[in-house]
Amino acid sequence: MCAGPARRAAQGVGHFPALPAGNPVQLTLAEFSSRAIYDSGRSLSGRTVRLTGFVTRDDDGTWYVTRLLVACCAADATTSKVEIRGGQAPPVDAWVTVTGTWRPKGRLGTDAAWPPVLDAGSVRRIAEPADPYEKR
């Protein structure tokens, strides 16, 4: 059975504004994740993006670019992460900038679409930014 407009709206699926021209486009992890999981217009398709964060890893070796998201202060922080496929995984907690392309995963608006996936074209280690948090 196909989900109707009310169900899609409840899931937060819809069109996002166009991304700025040019490649790569710098996105926060939160914006990349929102577009990857909820954008029915598929604005990430065919675009090269650049994400910055610190490296985390699952027990199975899958690695992620991760950021802490804050609304007010560090006490209310939650994590945002993007699975990285390809590229050599840097050590855990290293700060990196990853440039690559979105790999669609799962059905929009569902748990199967999370965490979003980026196929790495390049992975570059960087110094921790002065402000390591992303704002919600």
Side-chain angles (χ1 to χ4, degrees):
M1 182 170 150
C2 185
R7 182 177 167 111
R8 283 194 303 273
Q11 292 172 334
V13 173
H15 285 280
F16 282 55
L19 288 169
N23 280 319
V25 61
Q26 179 78 35
L27 296 175
T28 65
L29 266 67
E31 182 168 17
F32 177 82
S33 296
S34 292
R35 287 174 181 272
I37 296 169
Y38 301 111
D39 184 11
S40 60
R42 303 287 195 182
S43 60
L44 293 171
S45 293
R47 298 298 304 272
T48 301
V49 300
R50 181 176 293 140
L51 306 175
T52 297
F54 59 91
V55 175
T56 57
R57 193 170 297 156
D58 279 348
D59 291 338
D60 67 3
T62 302
W63 71 282
Y64 306 88
V65 171
T66 305
R67 285 300 279 266
L68 295 175
L69 304 172
V70 297
C72 174
C73 59
D76 71 8
T78 59
T79 59
S80 179
K81 67 182 184 179
V82 173
E83 180 180 339
I84 305 299
R85 296 196 184 160
Q88 183 66 32
V92 170
D93 294 329
W95 279 84
V96 295
T97 295
V98 180
T99 302
T101 55
W102 171 55
R103 177 188 291 204
K105 172 183 153 189
R107 195 177 90 231
L108 286 177
T110 68
D111 289 344
W114 192 89
V117 177
L118 187 75
D119 286 329
S122 70
V123 179
R124 183 173 53 94
R125 287 189 66 174
I126 62 167
E128 180 177 333
D131 182 1
Y133 302 105
E134 282 187 5
K135 306 295 185 242
R136 277 191 251 197

